[in-house]
């Protein structure tokens, strides 16, 4: 079997869902299981809706919900014939009524818990999976919607829950596997899951890719296909640099570094389950399905270029901790990290000197509380609106003088922290967020002027569609 995941833009409207159905039909001999995201931008709106309700703004919450309701009715109307639409409209109506009831309750109390937030956020994928399954069936595909909450089991870390793989795999065998024997196409919502007790959770923003990988690993898929709105993993975000080229083939390690450092085309946790089972992942464009996309496998072919790609992660804060007493005293670093740990605030980069430690974090909300706690140990300063730029490639390992080449290409940019060596295949550094486009374009021009044709494909055409 294979897993095919369609992201938000690949199911954004009736035309997109129609294209997805045709793509799935072409793969029927491979026994596809389909994972879908919410329609494009729906999760953002749901989160705004929940927040409005949490602030007691009932009117705004219900107005946003009404917009979503109308969009889903209209899309379903375009996709389904009158008979099926009448039945499905009733189902949608009941779902949106229950969402509104919940929003009224949250508004009345004026408090939004992470648990309720996940319940609202997951609504988009639940509805999308039902609608896509109906549309597939109406197009002659034998589709069955599966509620992801019945098979993806997580802990209760709401908004970024952690899958419990053993329990999940048992459920996948029991609920999804038999559908293949009946020649049916399972259609599941990504991003959404549930605790052992059936409480709705989500896997973090962009988490539908992760669902696809959990499903693929659990059912030992032959491959996992991530269908999106670009031609594959590109040498950098094409939204930042029009000259970005398709990467034909890249290793799990390289792709994982890129995803972690901001290449949003893949959720950072996606590759782990695939690596463990050595399942190839393909990134493909649902608007250009003939394109070969990018294949991600254990070993990538040799590459003439120094780097495979450049990623940028924005909304980073640098925290400087300056010791009033001796920094390297035994246990000092541990006490600093314990503070971040206590606030569940992950640290990306670290650099130390005799008296100070600088760290980067990507959670702005936690910073004031973290800083207040750190203040008990040392002097603390923090500065937001930074970005980490990361260059990735297996050749970094064996090439001397890399830093000189990289910083030579961006001589007029002010660089804060630098890190090389942590993974051997990445060089990263921190700059001001506003400098990201200029920096990435300069690096791209310097390192991808003569791309190795074995590894890199074409520049993406027709980028104006988004
Ligand atoms: P989906 O809704 O299909 O999950 P996302 O919006 O999450 O799609 O991810 C696709 C987007 O990722 C692209 O439109 C592109 O702007 C962005 N992106 C960032 N870095 C890269 C990269 N290196 N290669 C391709 N796309 C990238
Ligand atoms: N719909 C979710 C989000 O926007 C999950 C996803 O698209 O992968 O974050
Ligand atoms: Mg995504």
């Amino acid at each position: 079997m294979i897993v095919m995941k369609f992201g938000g833009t690949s199911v954004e409207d009736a035309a997109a869902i129609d294209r997805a159905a045709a793509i799935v039909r072409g793969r029927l001999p491979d026994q596809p299981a389909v994972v879908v995201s919410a329609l494009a931008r729906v999760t953002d709106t749901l989160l705004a809706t929940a927040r409005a309700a949490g602030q007691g703004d009932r009117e705004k919450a219900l107005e946003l919900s009404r917009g979503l309701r109308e969009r889903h009715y209209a899309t379903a109307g375009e996709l389904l014939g009158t008979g099926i639409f009448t039945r499905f409209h009733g189902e949608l109506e009941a779902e949106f009524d229950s969402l509104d009831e919940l929003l009224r309750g949250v508004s009345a109390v004026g408090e939004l818990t992470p648990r309720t937030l996940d319940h609202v956020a997951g609504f988009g994928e639940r509805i999308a999976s039902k609608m896509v399954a109906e549309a597939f069936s109406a197009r002659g595909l034998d589709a069955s919607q599966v509620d992801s909450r019945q098979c993806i089991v997580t802990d209760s870390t709401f908004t970024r829950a952690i899958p419990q793989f053993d329990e999940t795999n048992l459920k996948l065998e029991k609920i999804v596997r038999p559908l293949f024997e009946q020649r049916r196409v399972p259609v599941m919502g990504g991003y959404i899951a549930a605790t052992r007790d059936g409480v709705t959770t989500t896997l973090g923003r962009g988490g539908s890719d992760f669902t696809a990988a959990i499903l693929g690993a659990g059912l030992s898929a032959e491959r996992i296909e991530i269908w999106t709105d670009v031609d594959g993993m590109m040498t950098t975000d094409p939204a930042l640099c029009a000259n970005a080229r398709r990467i034909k083939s890249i290793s799990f390690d390289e792709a994982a570094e890129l995803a972690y450092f901001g290449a949003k085309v893949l959720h950072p946790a996606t590759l782990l389950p695939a690596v463990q089972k050595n399942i190839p992942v393909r990134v493909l464009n649902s608007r250009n399905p003939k394109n070969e996309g990018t294949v991600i496998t254990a070993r990538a072919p040799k590459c003439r270029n120094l780097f495979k790609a450049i990623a940028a992660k924005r909304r980073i804060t640098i925290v400087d901790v300056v010791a009033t007493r001796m920094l390297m005293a035994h246990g000092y670093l541990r006490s600093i990290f314990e503070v971040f740990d206590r606030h569940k605030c992950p640290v990306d980069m670290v650099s130390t000197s005799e008296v100070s430690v600088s760290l980067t974090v990507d959670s702005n909300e936690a910073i004031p509380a973290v800083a207040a706690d750190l203040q008990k140990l040392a002097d603390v300063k923090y500065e937001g609106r930074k970005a980490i730029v990361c260059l990735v490639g297996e050749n970094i390992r064996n090439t001397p003088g890399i830093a000189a080449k990289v910083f030579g290409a961006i001589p007029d940019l002010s660089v804060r922290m630098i890190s090389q060596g942590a993974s051997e295949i990445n060089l990263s550094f921190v700059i001001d967020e506003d400098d990201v486009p200029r920096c990435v374009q300069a690096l791209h021009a310097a390192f991808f002027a003569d791309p190795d044709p074995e590894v890199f494909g074409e520049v993406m055409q027709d980028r104006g569609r988004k």
Side-chain angles (χ1 to χ4, degrees), residues 5 7-9 209 227-230 232-234 236-239 262-265 463 466:
K5 177 258 170 177
T9 41
D209 301 330
W227 290 87
T228 184
D229 65 344
V230 283
M233 280 201 108
M234 316 285 287
T236 192
D237 185 347
K264 165 175 168 231
V265 63
R463 212 12 238 178
K466 230 177 165 180

Side-chain angles (χ1 to χ4, degrees), residues 140-161:
L141 295 166
D142 221 345
S144 286
Q145 193 251 356
V146 176
D147 188 339
S148 304
R149 296 172 301 176
Q150 295 190 335
C151 23
I152 312 282
V153 184
T154 66
D155 70 359
S156 57
T157 317
F158 295 106
T159 73
R160 49 196 159 92

Side-chain angles (χ1 to χ4, degrees), residues 96-161:
F96 276 103
D97 288 350
S98 77
L99 175 66
D100 287 353
E101 200 178 318
L102 177 64
L103 293 171
R104 283 192 198 96
V106 174
S107 309
V109 184
E111 189 197 357
L112 179 69
T113 61
R115 175 175 166 157
T116 307
L117 184 63
D118 265 0
H119 190 88
V120 176
F123 194 79
E125 267 73 9
R126 274 176 45 218
I127 303 289
S129 61
K130 288 188 177 184
M131 189 153 78
V132 169
E134 291 286 353
F136 281 11
S137 300
R139 282 154 186 73
L141 295 166
D142 221 345
S144 286
Q145 193 251 356
V146 176
D147 188 339
S148 304
R149 296 172 301 176
Q150 295 190 335
C151 23
I152 312 282
V153 184
T154 66
D155 70 359
S156 57
T157 317
F158 295 106
T159 73
R160 49 196 159 92

Side-chain angles (χ1 to χ4, degrees), residues 187-198:
V187 179
M188 292 172 60
Y191 178 55
I192 186 169
T195 65
R196 198 171 295 149
D197 305 325

Side-chain angles (χ1 to χ4, degrees), residues 50-131:
R51 282 195 205 101
Q55 287 157 6
D57 193 344
R58 181 168 171 268
E59 285 319 305
K60 184 170 174 202
L62 292 175
E63 189 189 313
L64 288 169
S65 159
R66 200 172 316 122
L68 289 176
R69 186 192 284 259
E70 278 158 19
R71 177 168 170 204
H72 283 83
Y73 285 174
T75 309
E78 265 185 77
L79 279 168
L80 307 172
T82 326
I84 307 171
F85 177 65
T86 310
R87 175 183 50 73
F88 188 61
H89 183 274
E91 217 176 296
L92 276 181
E93 197 167 34
E95 290 281 5
F96 276 103
D97 288 350
S98 77
L99 175 66
D100 287 353
E101 200 178 318
L102 177 64
L103 293 171
R104 283 192 198 96
V106 174
S107 309
V109 184
E111 189 197 357
L112 179 69
T113 61
R115 175 175 166 157
T116 307
L117 184 63
D118 265 0
H119 190 88
V120 176
F123 194 79
E125 267 73 9
R126 274 176 45 218
I127 303 289
S129 61
K130 288 188 177 184
M131 189 153 78

Side-chain angles (χ1 to χ4, degrees), residues 117-442:
L117 184 63
D118 265 0
H119 190 88
V120 176
F123 194 79
E125 267 73 9
R126 274 176 45 218
I127 303 289
S129 61
K130 288 188 177 184
M131 189 153 78
V132 169
E134 291 286 353
F136 281 11
S137 300
R139 282 154 186 73
L141 295 166
D142 221 345
S144 286
Q145 193 251 356
V146 176
D147 188 339
S148 304
R149 296 172 301 176
Q150 295 190 335
C151 23
I152 312 282
V153 184
T154 66
D155 70 359
S156 57
T157 317
F158 295 106
T159 73
R160 49 196 159 92
I162 297 168
Q164 309 296 300
F165 285 97
D166 291 344
E167 286 168 73
T168 300
N169 292 347
L170 286 175
K171 295 204 175 213
L172 288 173
E173 280 299 334
K174 209 165 130 213
I175 298 169
V176 182
R177 176 85 69 195
L179 295 171
F180 296 124
E181 276 138 38
Q182 299 160 25
R183 302 253 137 222
R184 299 185 79 89
V185 178
V187 179
M188 292 172 60
Y191 178 55
I192 186 169
T195 65
R196 198 171 295 149
D197 305 325
V199 179
T200 302
T201 56
T202 64
L203 301 172
R205 294 306 309 271
S208 295
D209 301 330
F210 194 18
T211 306
I214 296 167
L215 185 61
L219 295 174
S220 304
E222 277 159 51
R223 68 176 182 278
I224 297 164
E225 296 183 347
I226 305 290
W227 290 87
T228 184
D229 65 344
V230 283
D231 279 345
M233 280 201 108
M234 316 285 287
T235 49
T236 192
D237 185 347
L240 268 181
C241 179
N243 302 327
R245 282 178 184 273
R246 176 170 66 92
I247 305 171
K248 294 183 187 171
S249 168
I250 188 166
S251 69
F252 282 134
D253 290 347
E254 290 170 325
E257 292 280 348
L258 286 169
Y260 185 77
F261 284 105
K264 165 175 168 231
V265 63
L266 275 189
H267 180 279
T270 308
L271 291 164
L272 198 66
V275 172
Q276 278 163 353
K277 287 260 184 131
N278 198 15
I279 302 171
V281 176
R282 239 178 212 286
V283 181
L284 294 149
N285 188 348
S286 66
R287 287 156 165 164
N288 185 13
K290 292 219 171 71
N291 191 291
E292 285 173 7
T294 300
V295 60
I296 312 172
T297 50
R299 297 176 73 91
K302 287 230 163 318
C303 177
R304 231 175 41 202
N305 295 75
L306 190 47
F307 302 115
K308 280 285 174 56
I310 309 166
K313 188 171 177 177
R314 297 176 213 233
R315 282 180 290 281
I316 295 291
T317 300
I318 297 188
V319 183
D320 291 316
V321 186
V322 183
T324 37
R325 276 156 287 145
M326 227 182 30
L327 172 72
M328 287 307 163
H330 178 70
Y332 184 79
L333 280 178
R334 193 189 57 202
S335 58
I336 291 178
F337 279 107
E338 267 171 6
V339 173
F340 286 91
D341 195 40
R342 214 168 33 247
H343 291 275
K344 293 196 165 67
C345 182
V347 170
D348 283 330
M349 269 169 71
V350 186
S351 85
T352 67
S353 76
E354 196 212 343
V355 290
S356 65
V357 187
S358 298
L359 311 101
T360 67
V361 295
D362 66 0
S363 150
N364 296 326
E365 299 91 66
I367 297 291
V370 169
D373 272 5
L374 287 172
Q375 206 77 55
K376 296 172 194 155
L377 304 168
D379 289 336
V380 182
K381 281 186 302 186
Y382 59 91
E383 206 183 332
R385 296 189 49 81
K386 302 286 169 205
I388 299 179
V389 173
C390 171
L391 295 122
V392 170
E394 306 265 4
N395 287 342
I396 295 180
R397 233 191 277 272
N398 314 311
T399 315
I402 296 226
K405 292 189 177 115
V406 169
F407 297 115
I410 44 168
D412 54 342
L413 278 180
S414 122
V415 173
R416 284 287 304 270
M417 293 164 64
I418 301 172
S419 154
Q420 191 196 341
S423 79
E424 290 199 311
I425 62 165
N426 123 14
L427 183 152
S428 30
F429 56 90
V430 177
I431 57 170
D432 283 342
E433 201 172 64
D434 294 342
D435 287 336
V436 165
R438 195 154 67 93
C439 176
V440 168
Q441 284 155 15

